[in-house]
Amino acid sequence: MDFDARLAPYAAHSSKSRGRTHIEPPAGSRSEFQRDRDRIIHSTAFRRLEYKTQVFLNHEGDLFRTRLTHSIEVAQIGRTLARSLGLNEDLVEATALAHDLGHTPFGHVGQDVLNECMKDYGGFEHNLQSLRVVDELEEHYGAFDGLNLTFETREGILKHCSLANARQLGELGRRFMERSQPSLEAQLTNLADEIAYNNHDIDDGLRSGLLTMAQMEEVELFARHRHTVETQYPGLPGRRALYETIRLMITAMTADLVETSRALLEEAAPKDIDDVRASPPLIRFSPQMRAETTALKRFLYANLYRHFQVNRMRVKASRIVRELFEAFLSDPVLLPNDYQVEGDPMRQARKIADYIAGMTDRYAIREHRRIFSLDHF
């Protein structure tokens, strides 16, 4: 079966994949990237994303995004973009669904605190942890640890990496040392992630009441499309008007990315994925759209992510993560047996980070209560 027949020559072709760490026979009716996607969906770490924070803690409302719904939205946007540019939809989908597998509970604050706790033990970064999840921590197969994903999916998961860590990753880390680019599919997924969170965080912010429509209309990108909706549908009720506005924003962002990237690809004329790796980034927004999305991100950072009510939860979440780490490090017998390491403080700290990063929000809260609350004996 030819899974790559409709792809552009510069796309990632599954038939030309750099393969897996552990050689396996072909998947038959599935391409190698489809097999990756399926393994990710059936992983334990993927299911845990349902109860991991995007912006609002899981228990704060049933309709706010979680890491799981965010990942699904990234995959949907990514597949649409990939199809428009002749790229590999299956690889984009696999990368999108896996990109947050290593994220801590409580969103970015959990990552930041865990990184502080791990500063003397190699640090912590959620992209690298996502790779660790799929390479080592998932336990589904008799022949190997992890999910044994293809090089291309693993490459797409690893958006950022320090040079020190890159040196330990062999071929996968080479591009960070050589300053070369990943596949177009990886570049595209990174921007699909940005499109998804910029837009759904507006929806969640307004739903929560932490943002107001008057505030949002200070943002040019939002105000322009809001005006279009009001002109086209006078008197449309609030939620429907908001959904229409966000729909138009997503359409504008994706159309701009496709148009800009298509022009860059025509100019660079890469013959294959190796040419892509040697080129500057070829999946991009136009300068105007980049300026507008940057302004939107700055607005959300100042008015939503640093809202005092969000900050209160950040403080609570910080305390939970820090106190759990310190308790486990000082007394490893508090850990489940599989996470206890004797005689090696570096490995013990990393196992603690694995344990905490794998927690959902509600499990971390429950574990903190078990250890520190006098009501739990």
Side-chain angles (χ1 to χ4, degrees):
M1 186 179 299
D2 188 354
F3 297 103
D4 302 328
R6 297 183 180 181
L7 299 181
Y10 43 72
H13 292 235
S14 60
S15 59
K16 299 178 182 178
S17 169
R18 293 191 185 183
R20 306 175 188 277
T21 301
H22 303 278
I23 297 173
E24 298 183 63
S29 61
R30 296 175 295 168
S31 75
E32 293 305 315
F33 302 145
Q34 288 171 347
R35 178 189 255 180
D36 282 356
R37 174 204 60 203
D38 296 347
R39 289 183 174 184
I40 290 160
I41 288 174
H42 288 278
S43 69
T44 303
F46 185 71
R47 293 194 297 277
R48 286 175 178 155
L49 296 179
E50 181 178 4
Y51 298 106
K52 288 195 177 188
T53 291
Q54 182 65 28
V55 174
F56 299 94
L57 297 189
N58 181 261
H59 68 267
E60 293 186 278
D62 293 339
L63 298 180
F64 295 128
R65 268 71 171 191
T66 65
R67 289 283 161 190
L68 179 62
T69 55
H70 164 69
S71 297
I72 293 170
E73 290 184 30
V74 176
Q76 179 271 313
I77 292 170
R79 288 199 69 125
T80 300
L81 292 169
R83 190 178 305 120
S84 298
L85 292 168
L87 302 182
N88 197 310
E89 295 180 48
D90 297 322
L91 176 56
V92 168
E93 183 177 30
T95 304
L97 294 176
H99 82 284
D100 271 349
L101 290 181
H103 223 300
T104 61
F106 310 123
H108 286 284
V109 64
Q111 171 188 279
D112 293 343
V113 173
L114 198 50
N115 185 42
E116 291 173 12
C117 293
M118 288 288 292
K119 65 181 179 181
D120 296 328
Y121 305 98
F124 179 89
E125 204 283 316
H126 87 266
N127 284 143
L128 201 61
Q129 187 70 11
S130 294
L131 187 66
R132 183 168 165 80
V133 166
V134 301
D135 282 357
E136 300 180 42
L137 301 183
E138 283 289 321
E139 298 178 332
H140 288 255
Y141 303 95
F144 46 77
D145 291 334
L147 303 180
N148 197 33
L149 303 181
T150 60
F151 176 92
E152 291 77 13
T153 299
R154 295 168 64 236
E155 173 187 58
I157 291 171
L158 195 62
K159 292 193 297 186
H160 312 291
C161 186
S162 69
L163 290 179
N165 285 323
R167 294 187 187 100
Q168 300 177 38
L169 293 174
E171 186 66 19
L172 194 67
R174 180 180 296 180
R175 70 181 174 91
F176 297 99
M177 295 181 284
E178 297 179 349
R179 299 186 181 278
S180 57
Q181 301 303 316
S183 68
L184 293 172
E185 286 79 2
Q187 296 178 42
L188 183 150
T189 305
N190 191 22
L191 290 179
D193 183 25
E194 182 177 332
I195 292 170
Y197 68 66
N198 272 341
N199 285 282
H200 65 48
D201 287 355
I202 294 172
D203 183 18
D204 284 352
L206 288 167
R207 180 182 294 278
S208 70
L210 302 190
L211 296 178
T212 67
M213 196 62 70
Q215 283 179 302
M216 285 307 312
E217 289 178 353
E218 298 172 8
V219 180
E220 170 59 28
L221 184 62
F222 182 89
R224 185 169 69 249
H225 292 99
R226 176 72 173 179
H227 177 72
T228 299
V229 171
E230 290 173 346
T231 300
Q232 188 171 0
Y233 303 104
L236 192 66
R239 292 302 305 176
R240 292 180 66 183
L242 173 61
Y243 290 146
E244 277 291 330
T245 302
I246 291 175
R247 183 177 70 83
L248 292 181
M249 288 175 63
I250 293 174
T251 299
M253 290 181 185
T254 54
D256 179 273
L257 186 145
V258 168
E259 182 180 350
T260 303
S261 301
R262 189 172 283 149
L264 289 169
L265 287 164
E266 289 177 1
E267 181 180 354
K271 296 182 179 63
D272 54 28
I273 193 171
D274 291 332
D275 282 354
V276 167
R277 298 185 190 284
S279 301
L282 296 174
I283 305 295
R284 284 188 259 167
F285 290 120
S286 67
Q288 178 181 346
M289 182 59 74
R290 170 49 65 201
E292 290 189 330
T293 58
T294 298
L296 173 58
K297 284 194 285 188
R298 287 173 178 164
F299 170 87
L300 290 172
Y301 185 87
N303 295 280
L304 179 59
Y305 308 144
R306 288 297 179 265
H307 190 283
F308 79 91
Q309 289 183 232
V310 175
N311 282 337
R312 288 177 178 178
M313 291 311 304
R314 284 174 56 85
V315 170
K316 293 178 184 179
S318 298
R319 182 175 300 169
I320 290 172
V321 173
R322 182 173 288 105
E323 290 180 353
L324 283 175
F325 185 91
E326 291 172 352
F328 294 142
L329 190 65
S330 64
D331 203 350
V333 296
L334 295 174
L335 289 159
N337 291 338
D338 289 348
Y339 291 90
Q340 295 181 29
V341 178
E342 291 186 11
D344 191 335
M346 292 291 289
R347 284 188 60 227
Q348 181 62 84
R350 184 57 61 188
K351 292 291 282 186
I352 292 170
D354 289 340
Y355 184 50
I356 293 175
M359 294 179 181
T360 62
D361 293 5
R362 62 184 185 178
Y363 185 84
I365 292 169
R366 193 179 305 131
E367 191 77 335
H368 187 270
R369 287 174 180 162
R370 288 191 188 113
I371 293 173
F372 294 102
S373 174
L374 295 178
D375 295 330
H376 288 75
F377 279 98

